[in-house]
Amino acid sequence: SIRTELQRATEEIEQMKGRLHGQVSIAMSAASSLALLPKAMAAFRKRYPDAVIKVVEGMFQVAEQDVLDGCLDFYVGPIDPDVSRVRLLVEELYVNQRVVIARKGHPLAKARRLAELKDAKWLRPTLGARSTEADFGAMLRELGLPDANIVVHGATNWVALPLLANSDLLSVAPESMVEFGMLSGMLEAIRLEEKLPGVTISIVRRHDMPLTPMAEHLCDQIQKAGLAYSREKPGRALEPRSAGATRNLESSTR
């Protein structure tokens, strides 16, 4: 942690002198990286063409300690609502809409009610929050599917997607996963009348450790990409009271 902060201080001084080299280390969930990183990176590279960007794909429970230690500049993705760590700031960006997904040409692709999926076999993914993952079956029950047959548990997106593309399993995933060009040819959303609960995507960073100018610029570009993404479809925008709000997690849990 001390070495990281010394390196960060050195890079900050160099960047404030106008030198455009250095490193930014971030963690992102798979869905948020697909939705935000290409646009943010293109804008970032215009100012810092020689910067080194380290991106770790993962969820907050994996990245949390590295953010606290200063090994990561910030994290982008869903977080658990009951996070109670101190020294963290959260800026909410948009709501990640979730859909039931299946392979292209799935026999149930034209279903419009969840009840029509009663005989399907399900893959329960890692949805990005411990509480949400544990409640996957409860979510389906509340939406009207009381006895979902879950046959694969806890697969990450990059494990789940090939399984779904080559089987008749169904799962739930962020809508951005099936909008991504490479995946859109293999998977599709089943457009049900029932709406699945979304999950809020946030930027998380330490409040007592300022970002270097380079990391701050990348953070800004991700914020802008998140705002643009939230405006593309109804349902992605946050409620006005929380849009763009930054809050101290310690205060929010008192």
Side-chain angles (χ1 to χ4, degrees):
S1 180
I2 293 172
R3 285 198 302 269
T4 299
E5 294 197 23
L6 286 172
Q7 180 183 350
R8 184 189 302 273
T10 301
E11 290 187 358
E12 183 171 3
I13 291 170
E14 294 297 309
Q15 291 166 27
M16 291 176 70
K17 291 178 179 178
R19 297 175 184 171
L20 304 182
H21 59 80
Q23 175 179 299
V24 182
S25 298
I26 65 175
M28 301 186 76
S29 67
S32 63
S33 66
L34 290 176
L36 306 179
L37 196 55
K39 184 178 290 186
M41 189 65 76
F44 174 81
R45 285 292 179 199
K46 292 179 181 179
R47 181 178 296 185
Y48 295 105
D50 298 320
V52 175
I53 309 298
K54 292 188 176 181
V55 183
V56 177
E57 191 270 315
M59 297 301 180
F60 184 63
Q61 53 263 45
V62 176
E64 180 178 9
Q65 191 58 50
D66 283 339
V67 173
L68 288 168
D69 290 343
C71 298
L72 291 172
D73 291 291
F74 56 87
Y75 162 82
V76 185
I79 64 170
D80 293 297
D82 59 348
V83 167
S84 58
R85 296 277 188 175
V86 298
R87 300 157 57 198
L88 291 173
L89 292 174
V90 175
E91 180 172 3
E92 298 173 345
L93 297 180
Y94 63 92
V95 175
N96 215 352
Q97 295 176 310
R98 293 198 298 244
V99 292
V100 175
I101 61 172
R103 66 171 174 82
K104 286 281 189 179
H106 194 285
L108 297 171
K110 297 187 182 300
R112 291 298 173 262
R113 298 285 302 175
L114 198 60
E116 297 175 53
L117 308 181
K118 60 182 178 61
D119 296 325
K121 293 182 179 179
W122 292 80
L123 179 151
R124 189 193 76 174
T126 299
L127 294 175
R130 287 181 290 266
S131 57
T132 306
E133 184 180 346
D135 290 344
F136 179 76
M139 176 180 68
L140 295 179
R141 287 194 296 274
E142 290 175 6
L143 291 169
L145 196 66
D147 299 308
N149 186 9
I150 302 172
V151 298
V152 180
H153 289 253
T156 62
N157 283 314
W158 301 121
V159 173
L161 297 176
L163 288 177
L164 294 169
N166 293 279
S167 72
D168 283 339
L169 294 173
L170 301 181
S171 191
V172 171
E175 191 174 33
S176 57
M177 301 298 290
V178 292
E179 294 173 337
F180 184 62
M182 182 175 66
L183 298 176
S184 63
M186 300 186 295
L187 302 167
E188 61 181 316
I190 298 179
R191 300 297 176 181
L192 303 174
E193 295 177 11
E194 298 92 344
K195 298 298 180 185
L196 277 63
V199 62
T200 300
I201 300 300
S202 303
I203 295 178
V204 184
R205 54 193 278 191
R206 271 177 56 178
H207 76 79
D208 62 343
M209 187 174 69
L211 298 177
T212 64
M214 183 178 291
E216 190 74 56
H217 187 60
L218 180 58
C219 187
D220 288 344
Q221 297 309 317
I222 288 176
Q223 290 168 336
K224 291 177 182 178
L227 180 61
Y229 188 73
S230 72
R231 291 173 172 171
E232 288 178 1
K233 285 188 179 181
R236 288 180 181 168
L238 297 165
E239 295 295 325
R241 59 183 174 80
S242 60
T246 303
R247 57 191 176 88
N248 186 319
L249 284 182
E250 181 183 16
S251 300
S252 70
T253 56
R254 285 177 179 169

